[in-house]
């Protein structure tokens, strides 16, 4: 069974201060059936000027049973994790942002587009929340590696 359509962005580098952060890596994954049997992956490396000059081509991740399980697990994790109404701090402490939008309108975001500052959040996450977020990050890393993305040096 294939996962439902989704858009996913993973951004390494979400914390800043006075100035917005410069992400070290951004991965955009998208799956829109029935037009494709692959998840499309586009990689960006804003902080690496050498890589910016390369013509990075979109990669693809074949839909397999294992990939479907990973995407489903990721969505289930995100549905349970707390978020801030207006993301202003890195509540999970990983300097990694995950942006998810599913076909049913479910959206999960743990960072504002301009990044997170040093403000104190009113949302407090538990150790179990942190562990679940770490698993979500691990799943995104597995998916990116399956897309044979160019890794920033």
């Amino acid at each position: 069974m294939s996962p439902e359509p989704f858009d996913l962005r993973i951004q390494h580098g979400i914390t800043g201060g006075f100035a917005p952060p410069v992400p070290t890596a951004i991965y955009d994954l998208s799956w829109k059936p029935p037009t494709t049997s692959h998840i499309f992956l586009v990689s960006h490396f804003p902080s690496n000027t050498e890589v910016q000059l390369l013509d990075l081509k979109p990669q693809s991740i074949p839909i397999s049973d294992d990939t479907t399980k990973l995407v489903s697990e990721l969505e289930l994790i995100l549905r349970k994790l707390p978020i801030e109404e207006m993301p202003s701090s890195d509540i999970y402490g990983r300097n990694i942002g995950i942006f998810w939008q599913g076909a049913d309108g479910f959206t999960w975001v743990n960072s504002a587009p301009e990044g997170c500052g040093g403000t104190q959040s009113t949302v407090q996450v538990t150790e179990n929340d942190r562990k679940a977020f770490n698993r979500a990050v691990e799943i995104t890393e597995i998916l990116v590696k399956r897309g044979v993305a160019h890794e920033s040096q």
Side-chain angles (χ1 to χ4, degrees), residues 38-60:
H38 291 77
I39 298 169
F40 286 104
L41 166 66
V42 178
S43 304
H44 312 274
F45 304 97
S47 65
N48 188 331
T49 54
E50 289 178 21
V51 175
Q52 286 179 21
L53 299 175
L54 298 175
D55 183 20
L56 297 177
K57 306 234 184 300
Q59 304 291 326
S60 63

Side-chain angles (χ1 to χ4, degrees), residues 84-142:
E84 295 178 297
E85 183 86 17
M86 298 288 291
S88 61
S89 64
D90 182 12
I91 62 174
Y92 293 100
R94 290 287 308 269
N95 199 21
I96 296 173
I98 297 177
F99 308 81
W100 171 278
Q101 182 159 5
D104 65 356
F106 170 66
T107 301
W108 193 93
V109 179
N110 72 310
S111 173
E114 67 278 1
C116 297
T119 60
Q120 184 67 28
S121 175
T122 58
V123 175
Q124 299 300 312
V125 296
T126 66
E127 187 59 33
N128 285 338
D129 293 335
R130 282 188 179 82
K131 287 178 183 178
F133 183 78
N134 289 340
R135 174 62 181 151
V137 169
E138 180 183 13
I139 291 169
T140 64
E141 290 170 349
I142 292 167

Side-chain angles (χ1 to χ4, degrees), residues 3-7 31-33 75 79 100-107:
E4 293 294 315
F6 67 89
D7 290 301
W31 190 65
K32 306 285 187 224
E75 183 177 2
R79 284 184 181 273
W100 171 278
Q101 182 159 5
D104 65 356
F106 170 66
T107 301

